[in-house]
Amino acid sequence: CRLYLVDNMLGDNTVRVARQALALCQSVIGEVLECTTKGKANALNFGVRQTTEEIIVRLDADTLCSPHLFAELVAHFSDPRVGIVGGLPLPKKTPNLFRYVREIEVYHNIGFSRIAQSAVDAVLCVTGVVTACRREALMKAGDFSVGINGEDTDMTIRIGRLGYGVVVDPKIHLFSEVPASWGELKEQRTRWSRSMLHAFARNLSSLWMFQGVRGIWIIPNSAWIIFRRVLVVLILAYFAVATLIDPSVVLMWPLVTVVALFLGPSF
């Protein structure tokens, strides 16, 4: 194993601390790379260009993982059809309220939905928190997209469109940070929503090329969900105003409750 740590001109002690840590390592060799062009995709592309290994594992700096991570990820590449592998990115164990909400979201969106997508070869995203890629697939897919959000979703789709298998293994547990404030949560969710629209726009051709369930259904439906969330807020506002004007509208709330069962998890 070789570790390539890319410092994207943070201006803090990352380089010094990383070099000290690498000097103490006994089971891995590595180097710190300094990418002078800002931006996550630029840093990823810079790092990938230094590699020669057959399997490349991308790991975000704020992520905790088990000592068995590489063995768990690499095992899936015994199947030559597999191009990209990920796990279950759970929130770190903190008393933060957002951690509990995020846990529910991860089990629903990834532990359930993406596992279901994998059954029909239609996984939309292997989260960039930790991703293992076959180098051959990465080279064919090209660089990570610069100037957009959601380079992990875009790369997953592109590797899938090339015909490689996309694997999400719920037994591989990872732990990443959650927003510490409402402001951070808003910024994160705005970025994630924007990333889905970017990925949809970049891969729209998969729809008219009929590239499987991912292209025909999953990608368009995920873009629609972004708009649906806004509609839920507008519907709630409408009922609030309507109730003030005509209190008898309250009698419709049982219907709203039923609808909420279908819209609630996504909302």
Side-chain angles (χ1 to χ4, degrees):
C1 292
R2 186 174 185 88
L3 185 144
Y4 303 84
L5 190 143
V6 183
D7 173 56
N8 199 203
M9 305 304 290
L10 287 174
D12 58 15
N13 290 324
T14 295
V15 172
R16 180 179 60 80
V17 172
R19 285 178 176 151
Q20 289 175 348
L22 283 170
L24 297 173
C25 285
Q26 297 179 351
S27 300
V28 64
I29 56 175
E31 59 187 304
V32 178
L33 307 171
E34 297 185 54
C35 176
T36 57
T37 307
K38 290 256 183 183
K40 189 169 188 177
N42 287 319
L44 287 166
N45 291 329
F46 180 78
V48 168
R49 282 193 285 270
Q50 317 305 314
T51 64
T52 58
E53 289 75 15
E54 183 183 352
I55 305 299
I56 299 172
V57 179
R58 166 190 173 180
L59 179 71
D60 276 1
D62 65 351
T63 303
L64 297 176
C65 56
S66 78
H68 311 294
L69 175 70
F70 287 173
E72 293 171 336
L73 289 169
V74 172
H76 289 282
F77 291 99
S78 60
D79 182 346
R81 297 169 297 179
V82 171
I84 183 169
V85 179
L88 201 65
L90 295 164
K92 289 180 181 176
K93 303 295 184 181
T94 67
N96 188 333
L97 169 65
F98 299 132
R99 165 224 163 171
Y100 299 103
V101 180
R102 177 61 181 156
E103 266 185 340
I104 295 170
E105 183 179 47
V106 168
Y107 284 121
H108 175 265
N109 289 355
I110 300 177
F112 177 75
S113 296
R114 287 184 198 168
I115 300 304
Q117 291 170 5
S118 67
V120 288
D121 188 27
V123 175
L124 186 67
C125 175
V126 173
T127 176
V129 170
V130 173
T131 306
C133 294
R134 193 180 296 278
R135 180 182 172 81
E136 171 192 286
L138 263 183
M139 296 301 104
K140 287 182 180 179
D143 285 349
F144 286 94
S145 302
V146 177
I148 71 167
N149 292 125
E151 81 292 325
D152 51 356
T153 301
D154 180 55
M155 182 58 75
T156 301
I157 294 172
R158 281 157 54 197
I159 288 176
R161 293 181 68 179
L162 287 170
Y164 290 96
V166 180
V167 175
V168 175
D169 185 347
K171 296 188 295 296
I172 300 176
H173 290 181
L174 325 158
F175 299 90
S176 61
E177 292 180 352
V178 294
S181 67
W182 288 101
E184 288 183 16
L185 180 68
K186 176 187 174 185
E187 188 277 331
Q188 180 196 67
R189 296 308 156 131
T190 301
R191 187 176 72 249
W192 286 3
S193 295
R194 192 163 54 232
S195 73
M196 191 58 246
L197 297 180
H198 286 167
F200 171 72
R202 282 183 54 82
N203 293 278
L204 188 58
S205 59
S206 64
L207 180 57
W208 61 71
M209 291 174 69
F210 297 103
Q211 290 188 306
V213 177
R214 181 188 290 108
I216 297 171
W217 173 252
I218 301 295
I219 296 176
N221 184 60
S222 296
W224 157 244
I225 286 173
I226 303 302
F227 293 103
R228 189 178 70 184
R229 289 173 182 160
V230 179
L231 290 177
V232 170
V233 177
L234 293 175
I235 290 169
L236 291 174
Y238 167 77
F239 269 107
V241 173
T243 302
L244 290 174
I245 296 172
D246 181 1
S248 66
V249 170
V250 173
L251 297 175
M252 295 183 63
W253 280 110
L255 173 61
V256 176
T257 303
V258 174
V259 174
L261 289 173
F262 295 95
L263 298 182
S266 295
F267 176 56

